[in-house]
Amino acid sequence: MLVKSDEELAQVRYAAHAAEEACKVIVEITTPGIGEEVVFAEATREMLRQGIGVRFPTIVMNSGPHTLSWGPPRWTTSGEAPRILQHGDLLQMELMPMCGNQEIQVQMTVALDPLDDTSKKCESVALKSYDAGLKALKPGITFADLLAAMEEPHRAARCWGYTPLVHSLGPHFLAGRTQVNIDQANLNVTFVGPNAARQREAVIQPGMVFAFEPNACIGNHRVNIGGTVVVTATGCEELNHIPSTVTHKQ
């Protein structure tokens, strides 16, 4: 299931296209004074307009000058009003469109400048992690090798990762949840038993599809970027470009 057929790859590419089109809409409409619900609705509309499906929770979303919260928008379950975007905010969204039951994921982030220096450092580390993954990903390496390459910028900058830096798509079998600098998280959580992610030694092959999700955290600051990447015979191919960097707007 990890190695896709030509037909499945065509579906993956179309789902990635739907996500890219939705990211264009997000860039266009995200501005100070707009509510989260407007961005959520228009991004969902654009994905569905492509004639594809979306899986629960449709879009993961949060916003603010700094936050670790990651899940469905709070207002979808809490009964509170959607947040109004402001200067200094990071709007971070995970889109998960599906074509022919082939799911892809992108991590779309818009910065409503000015950002604080801590968020700027997180952004820089996430970008370096993404680039390191592109350079490392090729047939013959192990998934653990890929994760190690994407972890190195976090190690050097003393950042930690809240969610996986990378994982396979359809199925979500190979998950790169890093333990680098996890002591910096200061999470008020008590673990019972081992909490380290299982090291996956699977050998990467052409036709595998990965969600690059490099997220860099310092304290309660977090920046998350990334898109869908396909393994080719000689390396890899990015299917998404807009969400592979932070889009800055005034």
Side-chain angles (χ1 to χ4, degrees):
M1 292 178 68
L2 288 172
V3 177
K4 304 302 179 185
S5 66
D6 289 343
E7 180 181 8
E8 290 170 327
L9 285 174
Q11 293 168 334
V12 165
R13 292 178 185 280
Y14 190 75
H17 165 77
E20 197 78 0
E21 292 301 303
C23 288
K24 291 179 184 178
V25 171
I26 293 168
V27 170
E28 180 181 349
I29 67 175
T30 299
T31 186
I34 197 171
E36 286 184 348
E37 81 285 2
V38 177
V39 184
F40 186 101
E42 292 304 314
T44 302
R45 175 183 181 275
E46 184 60 30
M47 287 190 289
L48 295 178
R49 197 177 71 82
Q50 303 296 323
I52 49 85
V54 291
R55 78 165 178 87
F56 177 84
T58 307
I59 295 176
V60 173
M61 169 190 274
N62 212 318
S63 67
H66 50 84
T67 176
L68 294 177
S69 182
W70 199 238
R74 287 171 53 92
W75 42 268
T76 61
T77 57
S78 66
E80 65 189 83
R83 189 173 179 279
I84 303 299
L85 300 179
Q86 305 172 27
H87 284 292
D89 279 354
L90 281 164
L91 173 66
Q92 305 194 76
M93 305 172 66
E94 182 173 22
L95 282 59
M96 298 166 281
M98 303 170 63
C99 177
N101 213 33
Q102 296 298 319
E103 177 193 342
I104 67 95
Q105 295 182 4
V106 303
Q107 314 294 322
M108 181 63 191
T109 296
V110 179
L112 296 177
D113 292 334
L115 292 186
D116 60 59
D117 289 341
T118 303
S119 292
K120 290 178 181 177
K121 181 176 180 180
C122 291
E123 176 187 1
S124 175
V125 173
L127 288 169
K128 290 177 182 177
S129 178
Y130 182 87
D131 289 342
L134 288 182
K135 292 176 181 177
L137 184 56
K138 61 184 178 181
I141 70 169
T142 67
F143 182 75
D145 294 332
L146 174 61
L147 175 59
M150 297 183 72
E151 287 176 326
E152 196 53 40
H154 293 70
R155 192 183 312 279
R158 294 293 291 162
C159 288
W160 59 282
Y162 182 35
T163 52
L165 304 183
V166 58
H167 65 76
S168 59
L169 283 167
H172 296 190
F173 177 70
L174 304 174
R177 185 178 295 277
T178 179
Q179 296 296 302
V180 169
N181 297 323
I182 197 65
D183 59 301
Q184 300 295 312
N186 295 322
L187 298 176
N188 186 24
V189 176
T190 299
F191 291 99
V192 178
N195 67 319
R198 178 179 173 184
Q199 291 297 311
R200 298 291 189 179
E201 297 294 340
V203 176
I204 291 175
Q205 304 174 53
M208 289 184 174
V209 183
F210 291 95
F212 273 32
E213 303 183 354
N215 64 106
C217 305
I218 300 173
N220 60 356
H221 289 67
R222 178 176 186 262
V223 172
N224 193 22
I225 61 170
T228 307
V229 181
V230 174
V231 183
T232 66
T234 58
C236 64
E237 177 189 0
E238 299 174 84
L239 299 188
N240 298 103
H241 300 282
I242 296 174
S244 64
T245 62
V246 175
T247 298
H248 287 264
K249 296 187 69 175
Q250 299 294 327

